Amino acid sequence: MKFIDEYRNREMVKRLASAIRYEAGGHYRFMEVCGSHTHAVRRHGLLSLLPANIRLLSGPGCPVCVSDQSFIDKIIYLAGMKGFTITTFGDLERVPGNEKSLASSREEGADIRIVYSPLEALDIAAKNPKREVVFPAIGFETTAPATAITLQKARKANIRNFSVLSAHKIMPPAMHAVIDDGIKINGYICPGHVSSITGSKIYNVFPEKYHVAAVVAGFEPMDILQSVLMLVRQVNYRNFHTEIQYKRAVTVDGNSIAQDVINDVFEEQDDIWRGFGVLPKSGLKPREKYSNWNAEHRFDFPKYNSVPDTSCICGEILKGKKEPEDCMLFGKSCNPQHPVGACMVSPEGCCNAHFKYQLHELQD
Amino acid sequence: MNYRIEIGHGSGGQMTRRLIRDLFMKNFRNKWLDADGDSAVMQTYGNNIAMTTDSHVVSPIFFPGGDLGKLAVCGTVNDLAVVGAKPEWITAGFILEEGLSINTLERIVISMADEARKAGVHIVAGDTKVVKKGQADQIYINTAGVGTVDDKCLHISSGKKIKNDDVILINGTIGDHEAAIINAREQFFESSRLRSDCASVNQQVHELLNQCNSIKFMRDVTRGGLAGILTELANMTENGIEIKEADIPCNDAVMAFCETLGFDPLQLANEGRFVTILSKDEAQNAMEILNNFNDNKPACIGLITSAHPGQVVMETAIGGKRLIETPWAAKTPRIC
């Protein structure tokens, strides 16, 4: 298939893998902070091609996984209110809240509909003026522009029975938190799609201040291997700077139209991340002029406990301190059918990817 | 915890399997059910009879490549064929929603009749129930099928004759049916070449069984996709399975659909594909037989190994290795 086969060329993959093996002299720990990278690494069996002295760690890159449990509890609370319709991406359906998930709310009769775009949610609101339609907005800089445009449209058309519960987050504060937390990494595999919006410049601080290599990577096997090779070289030559491997989608400055839309609609706020706690200016909330469409502003919520009361170690896994296999629940009481932690729910979650593709680290 | 039925219990994945094992098999126990084939095979008055049942609730009821009626007949015929049976008789129970247009019903019924004629089976009994508007989605069809099994095919549904180095064949591309259905339902892409592979495979199966002596196992690739049946087989027979991604046929339209939405083609259902496991030396012959049928694109996708009993390992297209998971529940596209 065009635009896919070129990046899954077996011969080129082999060459990249042997170049990595040849050049990687020491021990390297690289962290990917995008769920789609975690997924691609497992799906293509890339670990079986990398030498044992290169470790890939999965950081806080899955939007469902890093969202605080109280976010889920708030959606479930609204789902239980009379006259409310929750329109959500399918990923959120099975995430466990304190007591139940959205899927179980639906079994109990709540009106929960899966949508593929926030605009679809707005459409549902326009067609059902007597219902309160809430869209739980989740994702990083990649998905925030779509939510922002939807809010602009809702405001322009004055559709007042629509609102957004925002859990949108931005990437750099979590990448800071990983380093501040003392987690030893040599480089970041920077998220390709986030960067297509923000540009690669947002990562400059990591090589400059912390001497952590940074490469913005694409999602195909050759993209990822080439990025690993670029990271190895930055470390070997101690030549730390932000590089773009994913040049077909990412520039230094990013997509200014999308950035403007985000800025028009959202402002930064301190936000809670699972495993990290409150990170300053790490979340996005709708600005004052959009408060009519901000569910947080429109409705009163009970106070929720943000700490999951289980022995789940999602937080430690998201920080890259532990592997899913270190968790005593992994594969036992926590599995894709009955996930205990968010990392098991989302297909982008680290535990889910580990469970699905199980590490087949056949070094050849 | 008081579990309830979730959509995932009907997905054909691990959730379905657990429900069947922990509720239905546990309570209905008998040797025929315990054999756990696509159809049950019974001996009676010196004959071998295969019997199966299936319910069809697909939405939308008309889709590119088929409709609910055709699907009901093919599904039943195929369940019989892959246990080595010659499908003979089918029943059809209709659950109709108040308000359904008679024209729609007629189209479905004519389609069933056409497919039954093609497959050489007879629809010999039926039932009709009407429920109030809103209590069903237009039309559901439940079928049962009965066929006769030759003595030499009795081992096929169990897979107990499978040995190391046996090869795994598939008769065509994977994922077509479910991709076409999801696309028709959700209207992701208006003009796409996605088309269900829905078809009766009993004639192909018949030719294979007639001309090859070493067929050890067959199963149709339905819910749960290729990943579903291979992991189930590995589990059931404790054989290891190795497949090669590069050898598994998949249409470009299905690949593009999966890449765009984050689905795994290995987990998408077909309705006209089946895998056959047989001795290596007969593989070429079997491929040639399968090649004679329209719409087929047969391929040898892997083999049986002693290396990792109970597990399915895939060599990815780029030469990496990974374990194939048992599909769990309903599939949802990924956020980004």
Side-chain angles (χ1 to χ4, degrees):
Chain A
M1 198 170 76
K2 217 174 162 191
F3 305 127
I4 293 282
D5 294 343
E6 296 89 328
Y7 303 101
R8 297 183 188 172
N9 180 307
R10 206 179 162 109
E11 193 46 42
M12 291 299 287
V13 162
K14 212 168 159 185
R15 271 196 241 169
L16 282 167
S18 49
I20 291 170
R21 205 162 306 167
Y22 182 74
E23 295 190 30
H27 285 269
Y28 307 79
R29 287 162 61 87
F30 301 134
M31 178 177 274
E32 83 264 357
V33 282
C34 174
S36 296
H37 280 143
T38 310
H39 191 83
V41 166
R42 310 274 163 214
R43 172 184 166 194
H44 297 290
L46 292 181
L47 292 180
S48 65
L49 300 173
L50 288 174
N53 56 340
I54 295 184
R55 285 279 310 276
L56 296 187
L57 309 170
S58 301
C62 155
V64 173
C65 308
V66 298
S67 292
D68 186 64
Q69 191 151 322
S70 59
F71 172 67
I72 302 296
D73 287 329
K74 282 179 184 171
I75 310 167
I76 290 170
Y77 173 76
L78 292 179
M81 306 242 292
K82 217 173 162 188
F84 276 66
T85 296
I86 306 294
T87 49
T88 176
F89 292 143
D91 300 46
L92 278 182
E93 242 195 334
R94 296 171 58 81
V95 185
N98 262 320
E99 281 174 18
K100 54 185 171 187
S101 67
L102 274 178
S104 41
S105 301
R106 179 165 58 202
E107 289 150 27
E108 290 168 19
D111 183 13
I112 291 160
R113 305 185 200 178
I114 304 291
V115 293
Y116 299 96
S117 140
L119 287 170
E120 214 181 317
L122 184 62
D123 200 39
I124 291 173
K127 286 181 181 146
N128 298 276
K130 287 188 179 151
R131 296 194 69 81
E132 275 295 340
V133 177
V134 182
F135 176 73
I138 193 160
F140 298 109
E141 290 92 331
T142 330
T143 44
T147 309
I149 284 176
T150 308
L151 285 176
Q152 285 180 334
K153 290 199 169 181
R155 185 163 175 258
K156 203 168 166 207
N158 202 22
I159 301 173
R160 301 184 80 85
N161 62 322
F162 175 77
S163 61
V164 158
L165 188 69
S166 174
H168 279 306
K169 292 188 169 37
I170 54 179
M171 206 67 247
M175 294 169 74
H176 275 283
V178 166
I179 293 173
D180 292 343
D181 225 53
I183 294 150
K184 294 273 173 279
I185 54 170
N186 305 101
Y188 270 125
I189 299 174
C190 301
H193 292 146
V194 165
S195 311
S196 68
I197 306 291
T198 62
S200 66
K201 60 179 188 283
I202 62 166
Y203 311 112
N204 289 347
V205 61
F206 303 108
E208 284 165 12
K209 193 172 162 195
Y210 303 106
H211 292 176
V212 166
V215 173
V216 179
F219 298 90
E220 291 301 321
M222 278 167 58
D223 290 325
I224 295 172
L225 290 176
Q226 189 181 22
S227 300
V228 168
L229 183 60
M230 288 160 85
L231 288 168
V232 166
R233 286 178 180 165
Q234 285 197 28
V235 175
N236 285 354
Y237 297 105
R238 296 198 58 76
N239 177 18
F240 300 107
H241 60 294
T242 309
E243 282 184 281
I244 304 173
Q245 181 280 331
Y246 196 27
K247 283 195 172 136
R248 59 194 188 277
V250 177
T251 59
V252 172
D253 293 318
N255 178 341
S256 62
I257 299 171
Q259 291 168 19
D260 290 346
V261 175
I262 296 178
N263 283 332
D264 172 60
V265 174
F266 291 112
E267 60 186 328
E268 290 174 359
Q269 67 173 347
D270 299 349
D271 205 352
I272 311 174
W273 292 58
R274 200 183 285 248
F276 291 91
V278 176
L279 299 180
K281 294 192 173 172
S282 64
L284 296 173
K285 72 167 178 187
R287 288 181 189 278
E288 187 71 32
K289 62 179 173 180
Y290 288 96
S291 51
N292 257 307
W293 292 271
N294 179 357
E296 201 80 61
H297 189 265
R298 288 265 304 276
F299 312 113
D300 289 325
F301 296 94
K303 191 124 183 63
Y304 288 107
N305 186 3
S306 67
V307 187
D309 182 24
T310 67
S311 35
C312 163
I313 58 165
C314 265
E316 301 293 290
I317 291 168
L318 287 170
K319 284 181 187 166
K321 279 188 174 170
K322 289 192 172 158
E323 296 277 345
E325 288 77 6
D326 296 331
C327 178
M328 54 190 277
L329 309 178
F330 178 75
K332 299 184 186 101
S333 61
C334 182
N335 56 56
Q337 189 184 11
H338 292 292
V340 176
C343 301
M344 185 59 92
V345 184
S346 167
E348 288 173 38
C350 180
C351 295
N352 187 296
H354 276 239
F355 187 92
K356 262 163 105 171
Y357 302 131
Q358 302 196 6
L359 296 184
H360 225 81
E361 295 180 70
L362 307 173
Q363 313 283 349
D364 52 20
Chain B
M1 191 167 164
N2 186 16
Y3 293 120
R4 290 163 193 269
I5 288 296
E6 297 174 29
I7 284 290
H9 283 117
S11 66
Q14 188 79 348
M15 283 179 79
T16 313
R17 249 183 256 170
R18 287 204 175 164
L19 184 72
I20 291 173
R21 189 191 64 200
D22 298 343
L23 184 66
F24 299 124
M25 303 259 278
K26 190 175 122 194
N27 286 286
F28 296 156
R29 280 207 86 135
N30 57 61
K31 63 178 180 183
W32 300 283
L33 187 62
D34 288 351
D36 203 10
D38 276 349
S39 297
V41 180
M42 287 83 57
Q43 279 83 37
T44 171
Y45 305 111
N47 292 316
N48 307 311
I49 298 290
M51 189 172 175
T52 189
T53 182
D54 207 345
S55 297
H56 306 271
V57 297
V58 69
S59 161
I61 52 179
F62 298 99
F63 48 83
D67 58 66
L68 180 70
K70 181 181 180 189
L71 192 63
V73 173
C74 296
T76 314
V77 164
N78 295 349
D79 276 348
L80 290 169
V82 294
V83 300
K86 179 178 184 300
E88 304 268 12
W89 306 285
I90 286 182
T91 68
F94 294 86
I95 296 170
L96 308 173
E97 185 190 16
E98 181 184 27
L100 175 74
S101 116
I102 290 286
N103 281 343
T104 305
L105 181 59
E106 191 179 16
R107 277 175 71 190
I108 297 285
V109 169
I110 288 174
S111 169
M112 287 179 82
D114 283 347
E115 189 59 30
R117 209 170 300 122
K118 272 191 224 157
V121 294
H122 305 280
I123 300 173
V124 294
D127 177 51
T128 311
K129 296 282 185 293
V130 178
V131 297
K132 283 190 185 150
K133 190 150 187 75
Q135 290 184 351
D137 182 9
Q138 299 185 73
I139 170 170
Y140 302 146
I141 304 177
N142 172 272
T143 55
V146 172
T148 48
V149 189
D150 207 282
D151 279 339
K152 67 171 190 182
C153 297
L154 282 175
H155 64 279
I156 285 180
S157 63
S158 73
K160 62 187 173 203
K161 288 197 177 172
I162 294 174
K163 284 203 192 73
N164 281 343
D165 295 332
D166 282 347
V167 299
I168 305 169
L169 302 187
I170 189 162
N171 65 327
T173 51
I174 62 167
D176 306 73
H177 175 71
E178 194 164 358
I181 292 286
I182 297 175
N183 193 49
R185 186 167 58 221
E186 305 290 349
Q187 305 276 303
F188 285 123
F189 308 106
E190 272 176 36
S191 61
S192 91
R193 286 172 290 119
L194 294 172
R195 198 178 157 79
S196 168
D197 56 299
C198 173
S200 298
V201 298
N202 55 323
Q203 272 132 18
Q204 315 179 25
V205 169
H206 182 74
E207 287 303 316
L208 279 182
L209 289 170
N210 254 352
Q211 299 183 44
C212 302
N213 296 315
S214 70
I215 292 177
K216 317 283 181 77
F217 177 81
M218 286 192 283
R219 183 150 288 187
D220 53 343
V221 184
T222 55
R223 289 178 312 170
L226 189 59
I229 54 163
L230 293 182
T231 50
E232 192 179 349
L233 179 68
N235 224 325
M236 185 172 93
T237 61
E238 290 180 356
N239 284 295
I241 293 179
E242 251 169 54
I243 54 172
K244 284 192 176 172
E245 190 174 23
D247 293 338
I248 301 172
C250 186
N251 276 323
D252 270 3
V254 173
M255 275 291 284
F257 179 81
C258 289
E259 289 294 336
T260 312
L261 294 163
F263 291 121
D264 182 352
L266 288 172
Q267 295 196 6
L268 294 185
N270 288 96
E271 285 293 345
R273 308 286 181 237
F274 62 101
V275 296
T276 304
I277 297 183
L278 77 175
S279 300
K280 211 178 200 165
D281 48 7
E282 272 195 324
Q284 198 49 43
N285 185 19
M287 294 266 282
E288 279 161 24
I289 295 166
L290 289 172
N291 238 332
N292 291 332
F293 288 85
N294 277 343
D295 198 34
N296 270 3
K297 199 177 175 187
C300 175
I301 59 170
L303 46 81
I304 304 295
T305 169
S306 56
H308 33 74
Q311 291 187 321
V312 183
V313 173
M314 180 165 85
E315 183 185 304
T316 63
I318 58 152
K321 286 203 168 153
R322 72 154 153 110
L323 207 63
I324 297 299
E325 60 162 332
T326 308
W328 275 87
K331 292 163 269 287
T332 48
R334 300 171 52 229
I335 290 182
C336 56

